[in-house]
Amino acid sequence: MTVERVAIVGGSGQLGSALRTVFADVEVVAPPHADVPVEDAVALGRMLDRARPAVLINCSAFHHVDTCEREPERAFAINALAVDGAAAACAARGVGFVTISTDYVFDGTLGRAYREDDAVDPLTAYGASKAAGEFLTRRHGERHWIVRTSGVFGAGGASSKGYTLVDKVLRQAERGEPTRMVADMVFSPSYAPHVARTIRSLVERDAFGTHHVVNGGACSWYEFVRTAFGRAGLDGAPLEASTYAELGNPVRRPLYSALESTTLESHGIAPLPPWRDALDEYLAARSARLAVREA
């Protein structure tokens, strides 16, 4: 697919920001949520008619897992029904549709990294709503990309949080504050610029379907943070390992939701770098940003 114009909804978060950078050489239409919320089908349709993009990328999500459990209607309204409407609007206009999904569509009991063709079995309202969004997208024809990620991190915080977890814990460590991280939840870190670059490759190759787009390898959240501290020169920062059960959170989360990509190579797309290399790239970019601020 030749991409001369791309539309992004939910473009203020870390992945949306990375996508705008990756598509910087073409026209990008990324209206703020207040103007075009993905759940407003009328506003979304008007934007598509006005912008006439080759592809719409949906980065919008209600992704606070604990809140989704308390507000399942809202979770399904944004993560499923709104996605269904966006996919329908794109199909009616011949616009390709990309939507971002999650490792939380799986229950974490398989004992190995999940592949694209493994059956979904979510534990949470968040995961169930995202799985529903996948199913509803598929009913509108083949011109779609469902991109599952896991533990996305990048330069900018999601607009609803204001920070990324890795940046938050690094700032805590720099202030000498203790950090506690779970050591029994395993995932596949996903660096936003690498994910964004791969999404563009998938779009340009018309590689429709479901894809796992994560950095190579898997780790626990404790290992991820410990590695970040070590590579940032914060080896002595106080860091405590815990189990998820010790946190006392009643929401069941998948304990092993690592993802494996089995589709990229067949489309001539290189696998994403190992997560440690991605973390190094993130830390270098973070150091450069801090140096600019202090100058």
Side-chain angles (χ1 to χ4, degrees), residues 193-226:
H194 294 171
V195 174
R197 186 174 65 206
T198 303
I199 288 173
R200 177 161 186 172
S201 295
L202 288 167
V203 168
E204 291 180 336
R205 287 166 171 78
D206 288 340
F208 304 118
T210 302
H211 305 278
H212 290 174
V213 181
V214 297
N215 286 101
C219 62
S220 70
W221 284 101
Y222 173 80
E223 182 183 0
F224 181 70
V225 172
R226 184 186 64 188

Side-chain angles (χ1 to χ4, degrees), residues 65-240:
V65 176
D66 293 350
T67 307
C68 285
E69 210 66 22
R70 295 190 298 268
E71 302 177 22
E73 296 87 355
R74 182 182 171 201
F76 276 84
I78 297 173
N79 297 335
L81 298 180
V83 173
D84 183 40
C90 287
R93 294 164 173 81
V95 175
F97 180 61
V98 180
T99 193
I100 310 303
S101 193
T102 173
D103 54 331
Y104 271 47
V105 300
F106 300 111
D107 66 6
T109 63
L110 190 59
R112 62 159 170 81
Y114 287 89
R115 302 169 186 139
E116 288 86 350
D117 58 355
D118 285 319
V120 302
D121 187 16
L123 297 175
T124 63
Y126 168 66
S129 67
K130 295 295 282 187
E134 293 185 5
F135 287 124
L136 291 169
T137 293
R138 295 186 185 106
R139 76 190 186 111
H140 295 291
E142 68 170 14
R143 290 177 56 80
H144 67 262
W145 300 262
I146 295 168
V147 175
R148 294 185 185 134
T149 62
S150 170
V152 177
F153 67 103
S159 58
S160 61
K161 295 180 181 178
Y163 60 85
T164 61
L165 182 141
V166 65
D167 189 56
K168 178 185 177 182
V169 297
L170 285 168
R171 283 186 284 170
Q172 287 177 183
E174 288 162 350
R175 294 192 298 262
E177 299 172 2
T179 297
R180 189 183 189 197
M181 295 301 299
V182 291
D184 62 346
M185 291 183 68
V186 175
F187 71 112
S188 295
S190 308
Y191 185 44
H194 294 171
V195 174
R197 186 174 65 206
T198 303
I199 288 173
R200 177 161 186 172
S201 295
L202 288 167
V203 168
E204 291 180 336
R205 287 166 171 78
D206 288 340
F208 304 118
T210 302
H211 305 278
H212 290 174
V213 181
V214 297
N215 286 101
C219 62
S220 70
W221 284 101
Y222 173 80
E223 182 183 0
F224 181 70
V225 172
R226 184 186 64 188
T227 304
F229 285 2
R231 299 194 176 200
L234 297 166
D235 304 78
L239 176 62
E240 177 188 354

